[in-house]
Amino acid sequence: MTLVTEPKAPPRAPHPLRAEWVRGFAPWAGAAIPLTLGVTLWAKADQWQGGWSETAGQVHSAMLITLPLAAAAGCWQGGRERRRRTDELWATTVRPPLARLLTAALPVALWVAASYLLTVVLAQLATWPYAQGDHPHLALLPGDTVAMAAGALTGHVVGRAVPTRLAAPLLAMAGYVGLGIVTTVRSAPGRVLSPTTSPLTGELPVWWQPWAMALWTGGLAVAAALAYAARRRVTALLPLAAALAAGTLLAQTGDGLWRANPIARRQVCDTSTAPAVCVNARYAGMLPQVSDALSGVTDKLHGVRNLPVRWADHGGAPRADEAQLPGITPLGWSAVRGRLTDPEQFAWEAVTALEGYDCPEGPLTARERRADDAVEYYLVPTSTRKAIDEDDARGDTAQRADLRERRAARAKLAGMDERTRREWLSAYFAARADCDAKGVPAL
C-alpha cells in the first residue's frame, strides 16, 4: 500500500500593507507624534491638568505642532521612491498608481492619527485624578483625528510631486507658520477653516462642527490624492465638492461654531457663611478648600452689615450684591491640579474684592489708605504684608513715618471691642460699596 501525500500549499504572501504597517518609516512617524505632543503637554501640565475644558483645549491647540509634523512625515514617505531611485521601477509594475500611492501613504496616515488619539486618551487619564467638576470634552476628537490623517495624506502627495529632499522640512515650517497666523489672529480670513482653531475656555463646539471639519480636511486630502494618482482624475471632483460644501458651512457660521458650556453658567455655593462662597460648577470639588481658605475672613466678618451677599464666580462681572471670587482660572496660577497654590494670597484677594476696587479710578485719600490697610491686615495678616513692613522699617524717614501711621491704625481697629469693631466695619463696607471716600470712617 502506497501512501500519497498531497503537496503542501505554498504559504500565502503577506499583504503589502502589512509590511508597510509594521516595518519601515510609518511606525517611527507614529512614535514621533506622542513624543512631540507629550513633551508639549508635560511642559504646560500646570495649565491644564485638573480641568477637563483646559485639557481638551490644550491637546487641540497642540495640533499647531503635530499637524505640520504629520504632513512632513507624509511628505518624507512620499519622496521615498525618488530617494531610493526606484520610482521608474515601480512605474513598470501592474499595480495602478493610486494603489501604489495608498499602499505607501495609508500606514503613515493611520499611524499618526492613531498616535494622536492615544495621546489624547492619556492626557484625559492624567487629568481624571485631579478634575474637580464638569466632564471630559471629546467633541473635537473626530475632526482632529481626521485632520491628522488628512495632513499625512496631503503631505504624501506633496512629497511625490515636489522633487527635492527639502520638501518635508519646508512643508513643516510653512504649515507651522501658516497655521500659527490663522490660529492666533482672530481677524485672519479663513480662521474658522483651520483645524487648529480652538474655542475659548468654557466653550464647546456645536454638535456638527467636528464632523464638518473632518469632511473639510479629509475631503481636500482625498481629492488631492485622486487628482494626482487616479486614472480618472475627474473622480477627485466628488470629495472636492464635499469638502467645499463643508468649508462653506464652516465659513458662513463663523463664531456661531462655538457655544457656551452650560455648566460654566452655574455655581456651587456654601451658604453657611456670610458672605456666601460660590465657585463655578466646573470646579465644584474645590468649594471645600476655597471655603476653608476664606474661613478666617468670614469668621471675623460675623455680624458685619453692608457686605455683598456672596463671592461669585460665574465668568462675568459681579452683580450689585456680589463680590468677585479670586480667579481659580487660568489654571497654573491660583490653582494647580485641583489645589489652591497659596490660600493666604487667595484670601487677601477675596478681601480686596470686598473693598470696592471696581470704583472709578482716582487717587486714594490718606483716610482710605489707612482704613484699607487696617482692614486687610485685620482680616488677612499675610506674610507678604509683613515683609513689606520690614522693608519699610529699614527705609527712609517718610517710609518709617507711614509705617508708624499704618501700625497705629491697625492697632486701633484690633483694640476695639467686638460690638464697636462690627459697627466700624459695617460703616466702612457701606462707604466702600458706594465709592464714598468721605464716608470711610477714620482710624
Side-chain angles (χ1 to χ4, degrees), residues 84-103:
R84 293 177 175 177
R85 302 182 186 276
T86 58
D87 48 341
E88 294 182 359
L89 177 63
W90 271 101
T92 64
T93 63
V94 296
R95 187 175 290 124
L98 182 60
R100 295 200 304 267
L101 183 145
L102 294 179
T103 298

Side-chain angles (χ1 to χ4, degrees), residues 164-217:
T164 174
R165 291 175 177 266
L166 296 177
L170 290 176
L171 180 62
M173 288 187 290
Y176 178 76
V177 173
L179 290 173
I181 294 174
V182 173
T183 302
T184 56
V185 180
R186 297 191 64 85
S187 59
R191 181 175 183 272
V192 294
L193 298 178
S194 170
T196 59
T197 299
S198 299
L200 299 175
T201 301
E203 289 186 339
L204 300 173
V206 295
W207 69 269
W208 53 266
Q209 188 271 351
W211 306 105
M213 182 61 69
L215 187 58
W216 162 246
T217 57

Side-chain angles (χ1 to χ4, degrees), residues 49-218:
Q49 198 174 8
W52 291 118
S53 182
E54 288 81 359
T55 301
Q58 191 65 46
V59 296
H60 177 73
S61 62
M63 285 184 65
L64 183 63
I65 297 176
T66 58
L67 186 53
L69 179 61
C75 186
W76 185 257
Q77 179 80 340
R80 178 183 62 178
E81 306 307 331
R82 187 182 300 109
R83 293 192 303 273
R84 293 177 175 177
R85 302 182 186 276
T86 58
D87 48 341
E88 294 182 359
L89 177 63
W90 271 101
T92 64
T93 63
V94 296
R95 187 175 290 124
L98 182 60
R100 295 200 304 267
L101 183 145
L102 294 179
T103 298
L106 286 182
V108 175
L110 295 177
W111 264 103
V112 297
S115 298
Y116 174 80
L117 187 61
L118 174 63
T119 308
V120 172
V121 172
L122 293 177
Q124 299 288 336
L125 292 176
T127 284
W128 175 65
Y130 307 105
Q132 300 297 319
D134 206 355
H135 56 80
H137 297 294
L138 305 176
L140 290 171
L141 270 186
D144 292 351
T145 305
V146 172
M148 290 291 294
L153 179 57
T154 304
H156 190 94
V157 174
V158 174
R160 284 180 174 250
V162 180
T164 174
R165 291 175 177 266
L166 296 177
L170 290 176
L171 180 62
M173 288 187 290
Y176 178 76
V177 173
L179 290 173
I181 294 174
V182 173
T183 302
T184 56
V185 180
R186 297 191 64 85
S187 59
R191 181 175 183 272
V192 294
L193 298 178
S194 170
T196 59
T197 299
S198 299
L200 299 175
T201 301
E203 289 186 339
L204 300 173
V206 295
W207 69 269
W208 53 266
Q209 188 271 351
W211 306 105
M213 182 61 69
L215 187 58
W216 162 246
T217 57

Side-chain angles (χ1 to χ4, degrees), residues 163-360:
T164 174
R165 291 175 177 266
L166 296 177
L170 290 176
L171 180 62
M173 288 187 290
Y176 178 76
V177 173
L179 290 173
I181 294 174
V182 173
T183 302
T184 56
V185 180
R186 297 191 64 85
S187 59
R191 181 175 183 272
V192 294
L193 298 178
S194 170
T196 59
T197 299
S198 299
L200 299 175
T201 301
E203 289 186 339
L204 300 173
V206 295
W207 69 269
W208 53 266
Q209 188 271 351
W211 306 105
M213 182 61 69
L215 187 58
W216 162 246
T217 57
L220 290 178
V222 172
L226 292 176
Y228 178 80
R231 286 180 177 176
R232 297 181 179 180
R233 295 182 178 179
V234 69
T235 56
L237 293 178
L238 181 59
L240 180 61
L244 292 178
T248 301
L249 179 60
L250 292 169
Q252 290 182 345
T253 306
D255 291 338
L257 293 171
W258 316 108
R259 60 183 177 87
N261 186 357
I263 197 174
R265 301 175 181 177
R266 301 200 303 268
Q267 296 186 99
V268 179
C269 299
D270 177 5
T271 58
S272 64
T273 64
V277 180
C278 299
V279 300
N280 195 283
R282 292 174 54 217
Y283 310 100
M286 294 190 67
L287 180 60
Q289 59 178 304
V290 170
S291 296
D292 183 64
L294 299 180
S295 60
V297 176
T298 54
D299 289 346
K300 293 177 181 179
L301 291 177
H302 180 71
V304 176
R305 305 183 307 277
N306 304 319
L307 293 169
V309 175
R310 66 185 67 85
W311 279 288
D313 183 20
H314 45 59
R319 303 185 182 95
D321 59 345
E322 296 175 342
Q324 181 66 50
L325 187 76
I328 293 176
T329 57
L331 300 183
W333 294 90
S334 295
V336 173
R337 296 180 182 88
R339 304 298 301 177
L340 292 177
T341 56
D342 190 346
E344 185 181 81
Q345 176 69 16
F346 188 87
W348 177 81
E349 293 177 6
V351 170
T352 62
L354 297 177
E355 295 176 345
Y357 279 174
D358 56 347
C359 295

